[in-house]
Amino acid sequence: MLLVEGLTKRFPGRPQAAVDSVDLEVRDGEILGLVGLNGAGKTTTIRIAAGLALPTSGRVLVDGWDIVDEKQRASERIAWVPELFPFDSAARALPLMVYFAGFHGMRRAEARAHCAELLVRLGLEGEEHRHLRDYSQGMKKRFSLACAMISDPTNLLLDEILNGLDPEGIAFVRNWALGSRRSGKAVLLSSHQLAELEAIADRVAFVHKGRMLKTIDRAELAKAGTSSIRLVIRNLDAAALEYLKTVGDAQWNETTVWVSRPTVESHVVNAELVRRGYEVTECRIESTSLEAYFLELIGTAR
Amino acid sequence: MNPYLHELLSRLRSRSVWVVLVVLGVAVALGVSTIEGDVPSVQINGVGFDYYADDAYHFEIWAVDVSGHPVSGVQVTLSIAPQPNFTTFPPPPPPPVVFNTTVTTDSSGFIEFVVPVAPGAYAATVGASYAAVPRASMTGLLANSFYFGPVAVGEVNLFESPVNVVALGDYLDQDQLLVVWAGANGTAPIDDSVEACAAVVSSFAEPEPSNCTGLTDVTSEGPLSGFLTLVPYPSLSMPAVGMFESLVVFVEIVNATGGVVAINDLQGPSGPIPAGVTTPAYLVTGPGPGLVMDLATTFGLFVPLAAFALAYWGYARPRVSGTVDMVLVRPVTRRGLFLVRYASVALLMGVVTTAAYLLLDLAAATALGQPIPPGFLLALIGITTAGSIAFAGLIFLLAHLFRSAGPIIGIGTTLLLLFSLFWSLVQSLPVLVEGPVFNSAQLLNFGARSQLFAPPQLPSAVVGILTLQSSYLEGGNRLVYQASGVTPAVVAAVAVAWIVLPFALTLWCVARRD
């Protein structure tokens, strides 16, 4: 569990606090979405929580350990995946991971086996000894996730990690985050892709100009508006439409279908269509509801 | 394994270690070539004269090293043939050699050849070898061909001034002057006396002093004891020499009636130096800077360069590129990581510098038959390592002052070049500022003190402090440093300050965090 209490961060020469008295709780087995405009303080909050920056006041507890005063114990239990690729591009994947693993007390042979297995799990089998500069954007993100999993931490800080990913990459990260939640981890996910957050977050926290505006749960999220599932089905037919009408209000145009107010999650719809032999080339959630809610919130805040 | 121990071992195994090994490999290669280059700087001078008496030329030589110490065991060969007649064409075949003898200098460095030939013009060649030092080079009379002209009976054909003084610079690194004096027919005028005097005079003094008369600091005098006389050097303390003053030293031979029969001015011009002349003329120039000093200079550049590479690749670059964040999210503290990486640089520099110097010591022992003295070696290893750690500390600090690699590389490279290759420009600043009237004593003083402001200069300063210029392995000038107040304790304190200050500032930056 990650607990942020009264967190404030002021940078020298800037009158306004980058983070101002923020309180936050990410429970075990929960994904907390963090939403805010650029410069709202999301990344600063996450960097402080990761132990990379000092708070001006307030504290961050990671499973009860203070990230400042008990850094080593707290860091054993937390992982950070930033938006930008933070690795030496001249390094090779596996040796770099083995190096990181050494900080968690793993012996060399043990670390090699563990990290190689992680790379396989993240879909980087056969790429272990390539230079990181030769990795694609998606591979880099998978490598970042693999590095975050080295110590199997109970808390994950994911900072705008969906940016720059193609649909396949987004789906991978989404499933990875959901898997982490299922295994009982506390996940803090900041993102501008509000539809994605709406789909996977248990709660969403809104920050604006360094201050926490509001935190809402899924029930409140549902009340805030409706989302729709956008599907592109190459062999769309009447039977498929018949099924889709049972899970929401379906509207279509040639091979594209929008299912608004869905009663089941998008991956369930996708799985059922595939099971029935349909060729689904795109499945994503479209929503203006969270966005509208957020804009209304910050409008009030202004 | 403890995460910090893991980090330390990882640093010691990292690729940047190879960079350091390559850089220091180049330094060792240069050092070995320095050793080779220093072999010819093993100089043995010859001073002497000839006279004709008893139907023979008497040809007398003293072999002395660059500090004026007699050198025994020098094998000197004198070969004499009549002067060829070039008035006809084609020229006749060279006349046969009439005298060819090899003699070894005795403990006083003295040799006398007696050549029983009729008076006339002869071409003489002096060759010499010195078994104690392979490939030692000979200068002066010991390596010359010269015209051995007819000398009237009862007169002396002096190759140099009657008074030959072997001394070095303004601040002699020896206790005594070697005075060579020859009287008629090779007789030493033992009734005469030698007087050495020194004084500080204003560059604008008028009249310009030309001998000891009127100078108040006459400190050494005594009878001539023979052809070769050693007299105490007149000492003056360095701080006594002001900005527009010069130190002048005269050596005079005074006869029994008090008349001055010969004067030799060690200092050259003592008044205002003419425009365009920046270096006073000395009687004897010193050898090359010496092996140990050469090594200190070479390593003064390359060891900090290696430290620069280590500090940049191991700390500054990961920091400014942000890749260090992926380490900092692990169970380590920022301060702990800094301390471990700093320690790894210090440890590596110590080990690799020691290994490099030991290799060079082996090379010196093999090439010259004389290893670097252990005291020098330890001092060199210590101060070179300290200087490199100090320089690495600056790079660690720069990593916290700038957020991109450009300024760190730019400033680091500029400092390294300034501190090593171009430091002589800094040392000559007084001349640029004051013009040629700035006296050389003051310049030496400034040069010695300036070295304290540049970590890569510290090895050179230590060599200078620890050595007298009396051995070919050495290149120092202890008295300059003594007179400048640059003592071993001062250098040690400065080295510690150079290490501690950037370290403490960096630690403060680390504690502040971003």
Side-chain angles (χ1 to χ4, degrees):
Chain A
M1 186 176 76
L2 187 71
L3 192 62
V4 177
E5 293 179 336
L7 194 69
T8 298
K9 176 68 178 179
R10 294 182 185 279
F11 290 108
R14 295 184 199 172
Q16 192 177 351
V19 177
D20 193 357
S21 306
V22 165
D23 293 308
L24 208 61
E25 184 186 9
V26 190
R27 300 163 195 145
D28 293 340
E30 175 188 65
I31 297 176
L32 176 69
L34 192 58
V35 175
L37 298 175
N38 288 333
K42 304 187 297 293
T43 295
T44 302
T45 301
I46 287 177
R47 283 182 65 83
I48 294 171
L52 296 171
L54 274 181
T56 306
S57 62
R59 64 174 183 166
V60 175
L61 299 178
V62 182
D63 292 344
W65 301 102
D66 191 303
I67 194 66
V68 175
D69 296 334
E70 297 154 312
K71 166 81 170 54
Q72 282 186 260
R73 288 183 184 277
S75 290
E76 286 283 8
R77 293 160 173 81
I78 201 164
W80 168 65
V81 183
E83 176 188 6
L84 300 175
F85 191 61
F87 301 101
D88 181 358
S89 58
R92 294 173 195 272
L94 186 57
L96 186 59
M97 283 186 74
V98 170
Y99 165 62
F100 290 146
F103 288 105
H104 300 285
M106 290 185 205
R107 294 193 173 278
R108 207 168 176 75
E110 177 196 0
R112 278 187 77 83
H114 177 62
C115 295
E117 187 206 332
L118 281 177
L119 288 172
V120 171
R121 275 169 56 191
L122 270 294
L124 293 171
E125 190 172 10
E127 312 290 346
E128 296 92 334
H129 294 286
R130 281 179 69 184
H131 288 292
L132 295 178
R133 60 172 169 259
D134 298 329
Y135 273 22
S136 69
Q137 194 72 6
M139 290 165 76
K140 285 177 178 174
K141 200 66 79 177
R142 287 166 191 242
F143 179 74
S144 297
L145 296 176
C147 288
M149 292 164 68
I150 288 174
S151 61
D152 193 23
T154 49
N155 300 272
L156 297 170
L157 302 168
L158 312 178
D159 189 9
E160 308 276 8
I161 63 170
L162 298 172
N163 289 1
L165 290 179
D166 60 17
E168 185 191 4
I170 291 176
F172 181 89
V173 172
R174 182 200 307 136
N175 290 332
W176 180 83
L178 289 170
S180 297
R181 178 177 69 181
R182 274 196 299 276
S183 60
K185 297 183 191 305
V187 181
L188 178 61
L189 170 63
S190 84
S191 178
H192 286 131
Q193 303 204 17
L194 304 186
E196 284 298 335
L197 279 185
E198 196 173 349
I200 66 172
D202 297 295
R203 292 185 298 142
V204 176
F206 299 91
V207 288
H208 184 60
K209 293 185 177 175
R211 299 185 70 88
M212 182 63 66
L213 297 182
K214 192 171 188 179
T215 303
I216 59 172
D217 59 19
R218 285 198 73 82
E220 290 173 279
L221 205 59
K223 288 180 200 164
T226 58
S227 58
S228 61
I229 303 172
R230 181 177 185 271
L231 296 149
V232 178
I233 305 168
R234 192 168 287 173
N235 52 347
L236 180 67
D237 60 12
L241 288 171
E242 198 61 35
Y243 162 69
L244 291 171
K245 284 175 184 172
T246 66
V247 296
D249 300 332
Q251 292 182 314
W252 67 95
N253 179 12
E254 295 182 351
T255 58
T256 305
V257 184
W258 288 268
V259 182
S260 56
R261 301 179 190 281
T263 55
V264 294
E265 289 191 21
S266 59
H267 64 94
V268 176
V269 176
N270 184 38
E272 179 61 21
L273 286 169
V274 171
R275 193 186 67 77
R276 295 183 183 199
Y278 290 102
E279 226 179 301
V280 181
T281 58
E282 190 178 324
C283 173
R284 64 186 169 94
I285 296 165
E286 284 188 346
S287 172
T288 53
S289 59
L290 186 60
E291 187 179 309
Y293 185 82
F294 170 59
L295 291 174
E296 187 184 324
L297 259 184
I298 64 169
T300 308
R302 278 171 185 149
Chain B
M1 186 188 294
N2 178 289
Y4 296 112
L5 182 59
H6 162 71
E7 170 66 11
L8 182 64
L9 294 177
S10 299
R11 287 291 115 200
L12 299 181
R13 284 194 297 249
S14 70
R15 282 173 300 169
S16 52
V17 174
W18 289 102
V19 175
V20 171
L21 290 177
V22 168
V23 170
L24 287 188
V26 172
V28 169
L30 283 173
V32 170
S33 71
T34 296
I35 291 169
E36 281 298 305
D38 263 9
V39 172
S41 75
V42 179
Q43 295 176 351
I44 299 172
N45 291 302
V47 288
F49 63 92
D50 70 276
Y51 60 92
Y52 194 84
D54 303 328
D55 299 327
Y57 277 110
H58 295 251
F59 189 83
E60 301 183 343
I61 289 176
W62 284 274
V64 291
D65 68 13
V66 291
S67 297
H69 303 131
V71 180
S72 62
V74 179
Q75 289 189 305
V76 181
T77 301
L78 178 68
S79 179
I80 291 178
Q83 187 74 16
N85 181 2
F86 293 108
T87 56
T88 59
F89 187 83
V97 172
V98 297
F99 183 85
N100 191 322
T101 302
T102 299
V103 178
T104 302
T105 57
D106 61 16
S107 60
S108 62
F110 180 72
I111 291 174
E112 181 176 15
F113 293 98
V114 179
V115 187
V117 293
Y122 296 88
T125 304
V126 177
S129 65
Y130 185 45
V133 180
R135 290 171 290 173
S137 71
M138 307 293 162
T139 59
L141 283 182
L142 299 183
N144 284 333
S145 294
F146 55 90
Y147 176 66
F148 199 50
V151 182
V153 174
E155 290 185 2
V156 174
N157 178 24
L158 291 164
F159 293 111
E160 295 190 36
S161 166
V163 182
N164 290 288
V165 181
V166 179
L168 299 170
D170 292 350
Y171 293 89
L172 301 183
D173 51 7
Q174 57 194 30
D175 300 332
Q176 50 199 5
L177 297 169
L178 171 71
V179 180
V180 177
W181 166 248
N185 288 338
T187 56
I190 56 174
D191 292 335
D192 292 353
S193 63
V194 60
E195 179 177 293
C197 62
V200 173
V201 297
S202 166
S203 300
F204 307 107
E206 288 184 3
E208 183 182 327
S210 57
N211 55 50
C212 289
T213 306
L215 296 182
T216 54
D217 294 315
V218 177
T219 58
S220 305
E221 56 186 322
L224 276 176
S225 58
F227 295 113
L228 185 149
T229 300
L230 295 172
V231 294
Y233 182 76
S235 63
L236 277 180
S237 64
M238 186 72 159
V241 184
M243 179 69 82
F244 295 105
E245 294 173 336
S246 292
L247 176 70
V248 294
V249 177
F250 293 101
V251 178
E252 298 178 354
I253 305 296
V254 184
N255 64 20
T257 60
V260 175
V261 296
I263 299 174
N264 209 324
D265 176 5
L266 269 182
Q267 183 65 31
S270 58
I273 301 170
V277 177
T278 56
T279 309
Y282 300 115
L283 286 178
V284 179
T285 56
L291 172 61
V292 180
M293 183 61 91
D294 275 352
L295 294 183
T297 307
T298 304
F299 273 50
L301 169 63
F302 281 92
V303 176
L305 177 63
F308 184 0
L310 271 184
Y312 177 74
W313 288 99
Y315 191 80
R317 187 170 177 271
R319 187 181 143 70
V320 295
S321 67
T323 58
V324 75
D325 285 349
M326 292 315 294
V327 177
L328 288 169
V329 292
R330 309 285 160 192
V332 289
T333 62
R334 191 173 288 257
R335 185 176 62 180
L337 190 69
F338 160 69
L339 291 175
V340 168
R341 293 199 171 182
Y342 190 93
S344 72
V345 171
L347 190 63
L348 270 172
M349 293 316 302
V351 170
V352 179
T353 304
T354 303
Y357 269 120
L358 290 178
L359 272 175
L360 286 171
D361 188 37
L362 190 66
T366 306
L368 305 176
Q370 190 174 347
I372 302 168
F376 283 126
L377 206 54
L378 278 176
L380 271 178
I381 289 170
I383 198 68
T384 307
T385 304
S388 68
I389 293 172
F391 194 78
L394 289 177
I395 304 303
F396 275 83
L397 180 60
L398 287 175
H400 284 269
L401 299 180
F402 299 98
R403 290 183 178 275
S404 63
I408 298 171
I409 294 174
I411 294 174
T413 306
T414 304
L415 285 179
L416 180 63
L417 292 175
L418 183 69
F419 284 161
S420 52
L421 292 181
F422 300 119
W423 197 248
S424 57
L425 291 179
V426 175
Q427 290 176 314
S428 64
L429 276 179
V431 172
L432 297 176
V433 173
E434 299 292 341
V437 295
F438 190 92
N439 76 64
S440 57
Q442 199 70 15
L443 201 58
L444 285 171
N445 195 333
F446 179 81
R449 288 175 182 166
S450 78
Q451 289 182 305
L452 299 176
F453 293 90
Q457 290 291 321
L458 296 179
S460 300
V462 163
V463 173
I465 289 169
L466 292 182
T467 59
L468 291 177
Q469 210 163 16
S470 57
S471 159
Y472 68 91
L473 275 177
E474 302 162 358
N477 206 339
R478 186 185 298 170
L479 294 187
V480 172
Y481 288 91
Q482 281 178 352
S484 305
V486 183
T487 61
V490 168
V491 174
V494 166
V496 170
W498 265 112
I499 291 173
V500 168
L501 202 60
F503 176 83
L505 283 172
T506 310
L507 204 56
W508 181 71
C509 291
V510 168
R512 275 182 64 234
R513 220 186 288 187
D514 295 334

